[in-house]
Amino acid sequence: MDFRKISGEDIAYFRSLEGVRNIFTDNDNLVIAASDQTEDLRYLPEVVLQPETVEAVSAIMRYCNEHRLPVTPRGAGTGLSGGALPVFAGVVLDMKRFNKVLNVDKRNLQVVVEPGVITQELQEHVKAEGLMYPPDPASKGSCFIGGNVSENSGGPRAVKYGVVKDYVLNLEVVMPNGDVMWTGANVLKNATGYNLTQLVVGSEGTLAVITKIVLKLIPAVKHDLLMLVPFRSSIDACAAVNAIFMAGYLPSALEFMERDAIEWSMKYVQSSGVSLPDDIQAHLLIEVDGNNLDQLYKEMEAISEVVQQFDIDEILFADSHEQKEMLWTLRRKVGEAVKSNSIYKEEDTVVPRAELPELLRVIKEIGHEYGFHSVCYGHAGDGNLHVNIVKAGMSDDDWNNKLPEGIRKLFKEVVRLGGTISGEHGIGLVQKNYMDIAFSASQLQLMKEIKKVFDPNGILNPGKIFAA
Amino acid sequence: MDFRKISGEDIAYFRSLEGVRNIFTDNDNLVIAASDQTEDLRYLPEVVLQPETVEAVSAIMRYCNEHRLPVTPRGAGTGLSGGALPVFAGVVLDMKRFNKVLNVDKRNLQVVVEPGVITQELQEHVKAEGLMYPPDPASKGSCFIGGNVSENSGGPRAVKYGVVKDYVLNLEVVMPNGDVMWTGANVLKNATGYNLTQLVVGSEGTLAVITKIVLKLIPAVKHDLLMLVPFRSSIDACAAVNAIFMAGYLPSALEFMERDAIEWSMKYVQSSGVSLPDDIQAHLLIEVDGNNLDQLYKEMEAISEVVQQFDIDEILFADSHEQKEMLWTLRRKVGEAVKSNSIYKEEDTVVPRAELPELLRVIKEIGHEYGFHSVCYGHAGDGNLHVNIVKAGMSDDDWNNKLPEGIRKLFKEVVRLGGTISGEHGIGLVQKNYMDIAFSASQLQLMKEIKKVFDPNGILNPGKIFAA
């Protein structure tokens, strides 16, 4: 793609608009908008716009569409696939001023929220009304709900409560040509025309700019219990995941962590809350939730009986709010811990749940063949395993040239197992060259043509999802 | 649209194909394919093809695409919006030979099924393995799972378990140009490219022909309890629906029936199982399900306390399998009962649940204004109310010319209440002229362009969803 540079005239136009709170062209602010949480990638935009009204977003899009200027929407910049990186420079559309919870509809269990609200703040806001918005990505304390919708995020609770797409009822979006529209209706069931809502969910900011989100809520759940189960074999830990389901239990979280994951995370957050005997290879972090505490204790006991069929060490039952928080913090900080430890790449594999042991075996086998070390962890209950490949002693040449072949091989295995190449992080920039593994040429063509329907001039988040 | 007639040469080509079990051009078979369950509409096709392999479907589509012949896919013909009607004649693609459950994956709680399997048979098939496929449209004993996917069907259990779209993981489809592709992967979470799966679900056979369906399953639920609550005021019955949710309960079914609905249904199935005092205006049929029977009895009691705040008569607790079946039969047969009683039109309104009392009030008010009688019933727990408008004493002129204005007014009110014009029946043929109420011109244009991406020649199920 070929875009012209942003001119003084463009900036003057943006300055003339009402409802644009900030227009940044200074280096400090451009640098902030140049990165997200993906590896150490950095692409400097030419201007950062912070609109605060739908009308302003509409005017910006219309102008950029007419003048063929690339626009990259940006949430909190916590993405892991490079979706917010302005790879063709141009405009970063920073949505942080859209930071209001507009309406909690208690009667209908719905909330209308702007995209720039931090996910955890949204959760706390509705919790104060006795309601719950379940999806909770590890970055929930800093990520925006708009980014979650754009990437179709998951998180630990997805195993019981589903992912973001399962909660999005309706979206207000601004099309690349500036048209403002709703994608659906605020109803629980809808058989009226094509499902534009689910087409925009997970489209990574490439189809339209989200300006309002209507989410389904559920009544808040009263209690949860948490336990940490140490396994002497990682493969066993993966196999135990399916054993729990086959025994008829549905935990509200079922997280897998390889030894390195929890060990590095403990160092990173300077915690010594978990003892880590030498023979422990992996942990499962298992949560159950519900409104009947007695019932939950019974469930916890039954699940602990299931995992005791495997070669495990002593189970840690979290017996206070603080201990639960400590365990969850260890889990949530794995990604940052790995990042602080080494240059790394994160792959977001997902397979049918029962294939997890085979997936883990294959990951290690390919690592051996291509000479990379991986730290694996993630939402095992969904079959979703994050594979953090650490550079460590790898040469730059191997890292840049040999590793992509290893990743390619890994993704082929993932697809062979009935899975796909991203469970919740999206494709964005860093996975787009692997899309041909998950999809045939005609599938990719179909997606590209859908992109063209929304964005005929290709100005919205160019360079993402598709290799070329 | 202008299509040429099917020629002898076309028929000869279809005959030359392997994997086409039957080719019908005789009047009896054309008449069968000319109708579904929508009003008394009848559109004769020119040929009915019954393929039994994906390759045959692909060859048929490729040929019809090249020769610009209209193709209307057909399931069991139980649709209520005319989606299976061949309004431009041409080919009916009858999918009944795709009638196999291909694989129940107990380890991953998934099933791979062909579209021509009867929904209830699929449910019984997976139940034998201890699993459950929840969506259960009223026509479950005769409808096909492929039609359910095409219309994004619901049913009574949607209130707790969601609609068809919540269970579809992946689809094998044949594109209008004959390309065969999968829309996604067999995984619980997926952030890989655009959600083609959810674009095809509910697209009413206008985008592609479904040839395989991968559905998520859940462990079978052991127990359910059912009660029928008679209300002296219909508006009260609607208000009680929300009161149950606000009190924190989530029934597995929460069905509303106006007096006429249950009375006509009792006559139709010749049942006297329910006593119907003169002052009863409506009923709620309420089911709870779960694995702990004691817990269910408690829930039932708590819900009965909630409804007792309203002006109700004695609650009927179904105390045997037979009595449950009787009550469910009464509910399921309402549609047929109304149809047997009078020429009628069925509107499939859906609003945010708490707006139900207002919706019912508005329906009756508009009925009064436009001179029509309506029988209302449906999935109140989802805010989904079926409005059966009976012709009865209405003149043909009023029926054909005045009534559509009344329906238009009703749909405008539905949209004003935050709802939309079809909850689970689809738009098909009979609602397409009302799409401009639910969507703006730019929304409709977007949908039409998506249609064009899949089907540039407009041969697949032409004349549906869009007014022109």
Side-chain angles (χ1 to χ4, degrees):
Chain A
M1 256 161 291
D2 215 17
F3 295 105
R4 74 160 168 81
K5 291 264 166 217
I6 301 278
S7 68
E9 208 174 314
D10 301 328
I11 301 290
Y13 174 76
F14 298 138
R15 286 201 199 285
S16 78
L17 291 174
E18 266 182 62
V20 181
R21 176 74 155 259
N22 289 305
I23 299 175
F24 297 122
T25 53
D26 63 295
N27 194 57
D28 285 1
N29 275 297
L30 297 185
V31 165
I32 291 170
S35 301
D36 59 9
Q37 289 297 316
T38 311
E39 303 170 21
D40 51 354
L41 300 173
R42 194 172 139 158
Y43 292 86
L44 220 58
E46 293 159 271
V47 60
V48 177
L49 304 180
Q50 288 181 343
E52 52 188 1
T53 65
V54 176
E55 294 72 22
V57 175
S58 171
I60 292 168
M61 291 312 300
R62 187 174 299 115
Y63 181 88
C64 291
N65 191 44
E66 279 166 11
H67 292 81
R68 308 289 191 269
L69 302 175
V71 179
T72 304
R74 180 179 178 88
T78 58
L80 294 166
S81 55
L85 301 176
V87 293
F88 288 93
V91 176
V92 160
L93 195 68
D94 183 341
M95 297 298 287
K96 70 165 52 147
R97 295 289 164 194
F98 282 77
N99 58 2
K100 284 176 286 301
V101 179
L102 297 173
N103 179 36
V104 181
D105 181 350
K106 279 186 74 168
R107 291 163 69 234
N108 287 305
L109 307 188
Q110 296 179 6
V111 60
V112 186
V113 60
E114 291 184 326
V117 172
I118 291 175
T119 304
Q120 188 170 340
E121 286 176 9
L122 170 65
Q123 288 175 329
E124 284 161 8
H125 191 108
V126 302
K127 197 177 174 185
E129 307 274 353
L131 300 171
M132 176 167 158
Y133 170 69
D136 58 340
S139 58
K140 65 178 181 178
S142 52
C143 63
F144 287 171
I145 186 68
N148 294 178
V149 172
S150 296
E151 300 297 325
N152 189 17
S153 303
R157 282 187 192 139
V159 61
K160 178 171 178 177
Y161 292 104
V163 296
V164 171
K165 80 166 167 51
D166 301 310
Y167 292 86
V168 183
L169 296 178
N170 201 0
L171 297 168
E172 183 192 71
V173 298
V174 178
M175 298 288 289
N177 69 2
D179 280 359
V180 180
M181 63 172 74
W182 285 93
T183 56
N186 300 358
V187 289
L188 294 170
K189 52 205 295 198
N190 194 335
T192 313
Y194 302 144
N195 196 337
L196 299 178
T197 305
Q198 293 300 334
L199 194 53
V200 174
V201 173
S203 66
E204 309 194 47
T206 65
L207 297 182
V209 179
I210 297 167
T211 47
K212 284 193 192 75
I213 302 162
V214 183
L215 296 167
K216 181 175 83 169
L217 302 172
I218 60 174
V221 174
K222 292 196 186 95
H223 307 289
D224 56 67
L225 297 175
L226 188 65
M227 65 179 172
L228 185 72
V229 187
F231 288 80
R232 296 199 177 83
S233 147
S234 300
I235 300 286
D236 264 14
C238 287
V241 169
N242 214 45
I244 291 166
F245 284 96
M246 295 306 287
Y249 301 101
L250 180 55
S252 53
L254 184 34
E255 298 283 308
F256 170 87
M257 287 177 278
E258 269 198 307
R259 182 188 179 94
D260 278 355
I262 200 163
E263 195 165 16
W264 295 15
S265 188
M266 281 171 68
K267 268 187 217 150
Y268 180 70
V269 304
Q270 299 184 307
S271 161
S272 56
V274 174
S275 77
L276 205 56
D278 285 345
D279 61 344
I280 295 307
Q281 272 194 23
H283 287 82
L284 290 183
L285 184 65
I286 308 173
E287 186 193 78
V288 293
D289 76 353
N291 292 326
N292 182 329
L293 196 55
D294 288 346
Q295 185 67 28
L296 288 186
Y297 279 115
K298 277 183 206 160
E299 243 177 80
M300 216 48 170
E301 203 179 300
I303 291 174
S304 68
E305 276 168 30
V306 172
V307 294
Q308 271 156 16
Q309 296 162 21
F310 298 87
D311 184 14
I312 65 170
D313 202 347
E314 209 172 322
I315 298 175
L316 172 64
F317 293 92
D319 55 12
S320 66
H321 179 73
E322 289 67 33
Q323 205 170 13
K324 284 181 196 171
E325 269 310 294
M326 181 272 292
L327 291 177
W328 273 121
T329 300
L330 288 183
R331 165 60 190 86
R332 276 193 214 104
K333 293 294 181 184
V334 174
E336 286 174 45
V338 173
K339 193 168 186 173
S340 77
N341 217 302
S342 166
I343 291 177
Y344 84 114
K345 280 185 192 292
E346 181 158 355
E347 311 307 327
D348 177 34
T349 59
V350 60
V351 292
R353 186 169 51 221
E355 309 303 337
L356 266 185
E358 174 65 4
L359 173 62
L360 189 66
R361 195 192 63 71
V362 160
I363 291 166
K364 297 303 171 184
E365 189 179 278
I366 293 173
H368 191 75
E369 184 183 344
Y370 285 82
F372 64 78
H373 179 68
S374 63
V375 181
C376 296
Y377 64 100
H379 316 299
D382 301 310
N384 183 201
L385 206 60
H386 301 319
V387 185
N388 283 10
I389 298 172
V390 296
K391 185 160 183 286
M394 234 183 170
S395 71
D396 284 356
D397 185 43
D398 279 359
W399 182 255
N400 293 322
N401 302 311
K402 196 173 160 193
L403 179 60
E405 285 311 303
I407 295 171
R408 184 159 270 279
K409 186 160 181 179
L410 169 58
F411 281 152
K412 280 184 186 167
E413 290 290 317
V414 165
V415 170
R416 180 184 65 81
L417 292 170
T420 190
I421 69 174
S422 177
E424 57 177 28
H425 293 171
I427 298 305
L429 179 67
V430 296
Q431 309 297 8
K432 66 178 182 174
N433 289 327
Y434 304 109
M435 282 286 274
D436 64 310
I437 299 170
F439 296 108
S440 66
S442 52
Q443 286 169 308
L444 288 171
Q445 188 55 32
L446 188 62
M447 290 189 197
K448 283 182 193 172
E449 286 177 25
I450 290 171
K451 161 76 173 169
K452 210 175 269 180
V453 166
F454 281 76
D455 183 18
N457 299 323
I459 60 149
L460 189 58
N461 210 356
K464 306 298 167 63
I465 300 184
F466 305 109
Chain B
M1 255 162 294
D2 215 17
F3 296 105
R4 74 157 168 82
K5 291 263 166 216
I6 303 278
S7 68
E9 210 174 313
D10 301 329
I11 301 291
Y13 174 76
F14 297 140
R15 287 201 198 285
S16 78
L17 292 174
E18 266 182 62
V20 182
R21 177 74 154 259
N22 289 305
I23 300 175
F24 297 120
T25 53
D26 62 296
N27 194 57
D28 285 1
N29 276 297
L30 297 185
V31 165
I32 292 170
S35 301
D36 59 8
Q37 289 296 315
T38 312
E39 302 170 22
D40 51 354
L41 299 172
R42 195 172 139 160
Y43 292 87
L44 220 58
E46 292 160 89
V47 60
V48 177
L49 303 179
Q50 288 181 343
E52 52 187 2
T53 66
V54 176
E55 294 73 21
V57 174
S58 171
I60 292 167
M61 292 311 299
R62 185 173 299 114
Y63 181 88
C64 291
N65 192 44
E66 280 166 11
H67 295 263
R68 308 290 190 268
L69 302 175
V71 178
T72 304
R74 180 181 179 85
T78 59
L80 294 166
S81 56
L85 300 177
V87 292
F88 288 93
V91 175
V92 160
L93 195 68
D94 182 341
M95 298 298 285
K96 70 164 51 146
R97 296 289 164 193
F98 282 77
N99 58 2
K100 284 176 285 303
V101 179
L102 296 174
N103 180 36
V104 180
D105 181 350
K106 279 187 74 167
R107 290 162 69 233
N108 287 305
L109 307 188
Q110 295 178 6
V111 61
V112 187
V113 61
E114 292 184 324
V117 172
I118 290 175
T119 304
Q120 188 170 340
E121 286 176 9
L122 171 66
Q123 288 176 327
E124 284 163 8
H125 192 109
V126 302
K127 197 177 175 187
E129 308 274 351
L131 299 171
M132 176 166 158
Y133 170 69
D136 58 341
S139 58
K140 66 179 181 178
S142 53
C143 63
F144 287 171
I145 185 67
N148 293 178
V149 172
S150 296
E151 300 296 325
N152 189 19
S153 305
R157 281 186 192 139
V159 63
K160 177 169 179 179
Y161 291 104
V163 295
V164 170
K165 82 166 165 48
D166 301 309
Y167 292 86
V168 182
L169 297 178
N170 201 1
L171 297 169
E172 182 191 72
V173 298
V174 178
M175 298 288 288
N177 69 3
D179 281 359
V180 180
M181 62 172 72
W182 285 92
T183 55
N186 301 357
V187 290
L188 294 170
K189 53 207 291 200
N190 194 334
T192 313
Y194 302 144
N195 197 338
L196 300 179
T197 305
Q198 294 299 336
L199 194 52
V200 174
V201 173
S203 66
E204 309 194 48
T206 65
L207 297 181
V209 179
I210 298 168
T211 46
K212 284 192 192 74
I213 302 162
V214 183
L215 296 167
K216 181 173 84 168
L217 302 173
I218 61 174
V221 174
K222 291 196 187 94
H223 307 289
D224 55 67
L225 297 175
L226 188 65
M227 64 179 173
L228 184 72
V229 187
F231 288 79
R232 294 200 178 82
S233 146
S234 299
I235 300 287
D236 265 14
C238 286
V241 169
N242 215 45
I244 292 168
F245 284 96
M246 296 307 285
Y249 301 101
L250 180 54
S252 51
L254 186 33
E255 299 283 308
F256 170 87
M257 287 176 279
E258 269 198 306
R259 183 189 176 93
D260 279 354
I262 200 164
E263 195 166 16
W264 294 16
S265 189
M266 279 171 70
K267 267 188 218 149
Y268 180 69
V269 305
Q270 299 184 307
S271 161
S272 56
V274 174
S275 76
L276 205 57
D278 285 346
D279 62 343
I280 296 308
Q281 272 193 22
H283 287 82
L284 289 183
L285 184 64
I286 308 173
E287 186 193 77
V288 293
D289 75 353
N291 293 325
N292 183 328
L293 196 55
D294 286 346
Q295 184 66 29
L296 289 187
Y297 280 115
K298 278 184 206 159
E299 244 176 81
M300 216 49 170
E301 204 178 298
I303 292 173
S304 69
E305 276 167 29
V306 173
V307 295
Q308 270 155 16
Q309 297 161 21
F310 298 86
D311 184 14
I312 64 170
D313 201 344
E314 208 172 322
I315 298 176
L316 172 65
F317 293 92
D319 56 10
S320 66
H321 179 74
E322 288 67 33
Q323 204 171 14
K324 285 182 194 169
E325 269 310 294
M326 181 271 291
L327 290 176
W328 274 120
T329 300
L330 288 183
R331 165 60 191 86
R332 277 194 214 102
K333 294 293 181 184
V334 174
E336 285 174 47
V338 174
K339 194 168 185 172
S340 76
N341 218 300
S342 166
I343 291 177
Y344 84 116
K345 281 184 192 292
E346 181 158 354
E347 310 307 328
D348 177 35
T349 60
V350 60
V351 293
R353 186 170 49 222
E355 310 304 338
L356 266 185
E358 174 65 4
L359 173 61
L360 189 66
R361 195 192 61 72
V362 160
I363 291 167
K364 297 302 172 183
E365 190 177 278
I366 293 174
H368 191 74
E369 185 182 344
Y370 285 82
F372 64 79
H373 179 69
S374 63
V375 181
C376 297
Y377 64 100
H379 316 299
D382 302 311
N384 183 200
L385 207 60
H386 302 318
V387 185
N388 283 11
I389 300 172
V390 295
K391 186 161 183 284
M394 235 182 167
S395 72
D396 284 355
D397 187 43
D398 281 358
W399 182 254
N400 293 323
N401 301 310
K402 195 173 161 194
L403 179 60
E405 285 312 304
I407 295 172
R408 184 159 271 278
K409 185 160 182 181
L410 169 58
F411 281 151
K412 278 183 186 165
E413 290 291 316
V414 165
V415 169
R416 181 185 63 82
L417 292 171
T420 191
I421 69 173
S422 177
E424 56 175 29
H425 292 170
I427 298 305
L429 178 68
V430 296
Q431 310 296 8
K432 67 178 183 175
N433 289 328
Y434 305 108
M435 282 287 275
D436 66 310
I437 300 171
F439 297 107
S440 67
S442 52
Q443 285 169 308
L444 288 172
Q445 187 56 32
L446 188 62
M447 289 190 199
K448 283 182 196 173
E449 285 177 24
I450 290 169
K451 160 76 175 172
K452 210 177 267 180
V453 165
F454 281 76
D455 183 19
N457 298 324
I459 61 149
L460 189 58
N461 211 356
K464 305 299 166 63
I465 299 183
F466 306 109

